[in-house]
Amino acid sequence: MNKTELVAAMAEQAGLSKKDAEQALKAFIDVVSAELKKDGKVQLVGFGTFEVSKRAARDGRNPRTGAVMPIPASKAPKFKAGKALKDMINE
């Protein structure tokens, strides 16, 4: 499912126009992104949690030359599914 299909499904499910559903989706993405940028987390009970995962700096290897190269510390977004979502998928 791509964004267009998601917007259409949301509009149909909620009885909204596609334009309103697209605005709602954009608002959701903007709010979650802003919270993660502040190192916060967004927890939706029954669905899951969006949070930031921190990766420590480490040494890696160039696969072509075998030379050791430093990999800087970084942050990455992470989603952890909630119990209700896991149970629904595994039915």
Side-chain angles (χ1 to χ4, degrees), residues 9-17 20:
M10 286 174 55
E12 184 179 330
Q13 182 80 24
L16 301 171
S17 69
D20 290 341

Side-chain angles (χ1 to χ4, degrees), residues 9-87:
M10 286 174 55
E12 184 179 330
Q13 182 80 24
L16 301 171
S17 69
K18 287 184 182 179
K19 185 176 180 180
D20 290 341
E22 187 170 5
Q23 287 177 336
L25 178 61
K26 184 180 179 334
F28 174 76
I29 291 170
D30 290 346
V31 169
V32 171
S33 299
E35 187 63 27
L36 294 179
K37 190 171 184 178
K38 296 186 298 188
D39 281 342
K41 75 179 184 178
V42 177
Q43 188 171 8
L44 303 171
V45 176
F47 183 70
T49 304
F50 296 91
E51 58 190 340
V52 177
S53 174
K54 295 179 177 130
R55 297 178 181 161
R58 62 192 190 280
D59 288 333
R61 291 199 176 270
N62 181 331
R64 184 173 292 169
T65 64
V68 175
M69 52 191 283
I71 300 172
S74 65
K75 297 178 189 175
K78 179 172 106 176
F79 175 75
K80 181 178 177 187
K83 183 178 182 338
L85 181 60
K86 287 180 194 175
D87 290 346

